[in-house]
Amino acid sequence: MNNLDSLTEVMATEAELAERLVDVIKQQQRALVACNAEAVAATVEQQQELMMPLEGLEQERERVTREVLSTLAPERVAEDKPVTFSALLEYLDADEASRLSKAGRRLLAAMETMMKVNQANQFLIEHSRKFVRETLRIVTNGYARQLVDRKI
């Protein structure tokens, strides 16, 4: 397997994990709406389990991209500068570029979906926090009264 095949495989695996992470984040969204704390906690654990290999795959993708580009165009690779995927595509033939672009689009689509769902979840969490604060303010008469009688 050459480096280009390895890069395609890494990106496909990364996209697959990102898609699984999107599914978990969507489960978390349903749990947030249902106010199911146990399910939210379970999805957080699942997210953490998926994030570790995703981080490793991202580093591997960057390493292999750098290797491939340094073979094709050593002048484009500087030790202290990041190597971009689009820079690599410029040096590939049409078939290789197409195959790699497809893997890149799949990964990008999963990451964009993940960001959108995460933003929606963030909104739900913030809305819930505001609701709880407002409810406590009303119940405690502007925080002037204690919520629980300590004599119990």
Side-chain angles (χ1 to χ4, degrees):
M1 177 185 302
N2 66 30
N3 278 344
L4 204 54
D5 291 336
S6 177
L7 179 59
T8 304
E9 186 176 306
V10 166
M11 290 178 72
T13 305
E14 192 175 5
E16 182 181 317
L17 281 177
E19 289 164 350
R20 286 177 40 202
L21 186 56
V22 167
D23 290 340
V24 171
I25 293 169
K26 287 179 178 178
Q27 289 173 8
Q28 184 180 47
Q29 188 174 63
R30 289 188 293 274
L32 286 168
V33 170
C35 297
N36 185 340
E38 289 177 8
V40 171
T43 60
V44 168
E45 189 174 307
Q46 290 173 333
Q47 288 176 44
Q48 290 171 343
E49 289 173 6
L50 289 170
M51 286 304 296
M52 289 180 60
L54 259 175
E55 290 173 8
L57 286 168
E58 180 181 12
Q59 292 171 358
E60 179 69 7
R61 176 176 40 87
E62 291 171 356
R63 184 190 67 75
V64 175
T65 299
R66 180 176 290 282
E67 281 181 14
V68 172
L69 189 58
S70 68
T71 302
L72 297 172
E75 70 280 359
R76 292 288 306 258
V77 178
E79 287 297 321
D80 59 339
K81 293 185 179 178
V83 174
T84 64
F85 184 68
S86 57
L88 174 62
L89 292 177
E90 293 174 19
Y91 292 94
L92 299 177
D93 67 40
D95 290 339
E96 291 173 332
S98 175
R99 184 170 53 113
L100 211 52
S101 289
K102 183 178 178 183
R105 284 190 305 273
R106 180 180 172 202
L107 178 58
L108 183 61
M111 294 298 182
E112 287 174 346
T113 302
M114 187 184 328
M115 287 173 48
K116 288 177 184 175
V117 177
N118 264 336
Q119 287 173 344
N121 287 358
Q122 193 173 9
F123 171 79
L124 289 171
I125 290 168
E126 187 58 34
H127 186 268
S128 294
R129 290 177 61 205
K130 286 179 182 177
F131 179 77
V132 168
R133 277 195 307 265
E134 183 63 18
T135 302
L136 284 173
R137 187 189 63 74
I138 292 168
V139 170
T140 60
N141 194 22
Y143 302 108
R145 294 183 305 172
Q146 291 183 352
L147 189 57
V148 178
D149 185 2
R150 294 181 188 240
K151 293 180 183 179
I152 295 178

